[in-house]
Amino acid sequence: DAKTTQPNSMESNEEEPVHLPCNHSTISGTDYIHWYRQLPSQGPEYVIHGLTSNVNNRMASLAIAEDRKSSTLILHRATLRDAAVYYCILRSGATNKLIFGTGTLLAVQP
Amino acid sequence: GAGVSQSPSNKVTEKGKDVELRCDPISGHTALYWYRQSLGQGLEFLIYFQGNSAPDKSGLPSDRFSAERTGGSVSTLTIQRTQQEDSAVYLCASSPQLRGRTDTQYFGPGTRLTVL
């Protein structure tokens, strides 16, 4: 599976938007981009996924660069409950497992 | 509906003892995964079940680790002769396995294993 690169940590203020970047320069044409997050003392939870077009759901938005070598997870209004480690993961058809990197630890300040 | 459940939530054992960790996936989910999360290694894949068979066991760290799944539902991860480096949170996930690359995995709360 292609590798992803994320900043180790980011900080945000409550009720402000947060943009979490992910680089995946070796992505293949059939790889989907998935985001999961892990709140403290919990298992990971699915956030969003996409292939080429930008995606929106109730939790977040996913903006995918035109060349697909990077993507950005957007939390429109951060809350204290959004403090978590956010993982950007590429999914190919060759494997069913999730390969987690180190993720981005998001801190949200009141 | 009910999510993925795991038991026990915490397990403390002595070095050399065997332990069994249980996972109850979401009803109807055909795929089941085990991962572990330790301080030094992050989140790593252990094994994947499709139904009762395990087409991918590539993440099991040694032959002391084994897992089975019965009736296409409950799974048990067994660690024999536990070592201190086995201390970690063991996470189970399940998915409906509709389409691999877009399939969402649903995680349980994990079992925290401490080997003294």
Side-chain angles (χ1 to χ4, degrees):
Chain A
D1 290 283
K3 188 176 175 180
T4 63
T5 305
Q6 301 177 251
N8 289 333
S9 62
M10 289 185 66
E11 237 182 58
S12 173
N13 294 319
E14 202 175 6
E15 298 189 5
E16 287 186 359
V18 182
H19 290 233
L20 297 162
C22 181
N23 287 319
H24 28 78
S25 58
T26 59
I27 191 171
S28 76
T30 56
D31 285 345
Y32 276 77
I33 302 158
H34 287 244
W35 284 80
Y36 281 74
R37 72 178 185 180
Q38 188 172 23
L39 280 65
S41 302
Q42 295 188 27
E45 66 173 345
Y46 167 81
V47 178
I48 200 166
H49 76 270
L51 182 63
T52 56
S53 303
N54 294 344
V55 185
N56 300 295
N57 66 20
R58 65 173 181 82
M59 288 181 73
S61 296
L62 177 60
I64 301 173
E66 199 168 330
D67 63 3
R68 300 210 328 125
K69 293 182 184 296
S70 65
S71 60
T72 302
L73 180 70
I74 303 165
L75 306 180
H76 295 287
R77 289 182 70 226
T79 71
L80 297 178
R81 289 176 297 174
D82 291 322
V85 178
Y86 287 79
Y87 297 97
C88 170
I89 301 168
L90 299 183
R91 301 285 302 279
S92 72
T95 180
N96 293 291
K97 61 192 174 192
L98 294 174
I99 300 175
F100 290 86
T102 53
T104 296
L105 176 61
L106 174 66
V108 181
Q109 305 299 328
Chain B
V4 177
S5 61
Q6 294 185 244
S7 61
S9 54
N10 278 286
K11 177 71 176 178
V12 179
T13 191
E14 294 179 349
K15 179 181 171 182
K17 295 283 179 68
D18 297 351
V19 295
E20 284 189 353
L21 312 179
R22 176 186 168 112
C23 172
D24 284 86
I26 293 172
S27 177
H29 280 192
T30 59
L32 186 147
Y33 307 79
W34 284 97
Y35 296 84
R36 77 173 176 181
Q37 187 167 30
S38 52
L39 279 177
Q41 301 298 323
L43 255 161
E44 55 180 343
F45 165 81
L46 297 178
I47 187 170
Y48 154 60
F49 285 93
Q50 179 59 36
N52 291 336
S53 63
D56 189 352
K57 306 178 185 179
S58 62
L60 294 178
S62 76
D63 59 9
R64 296 186 296 104
F65 287 72
S66 63
E68 65 175 12
R69 189 179 184 194
T70 55
S73 181
V74 173
S75 177
T76 303
L77 178 69
T78 301
I79 309 173
Q80 295 179 310
R81 304 181 303 281
T82 53
Q83 304 293 313
Q84 286 182 334
E85 62 261 28
D86 300 333
S87 296
V89 176
Y90 289 81
L91 292 155
C92 176
S94 70
S95 73
Q97 195 63 67
L98 298 173
R99 288 165 295 179
R101 285 174 295 158
T102 62
D103 213 32
T104 296
Q105 293 186 18
Y106 298 84
F107 283 79
T111 293
R112 180 175 297 279
L113 175 65
T114 303
V115 182
L116 302 177

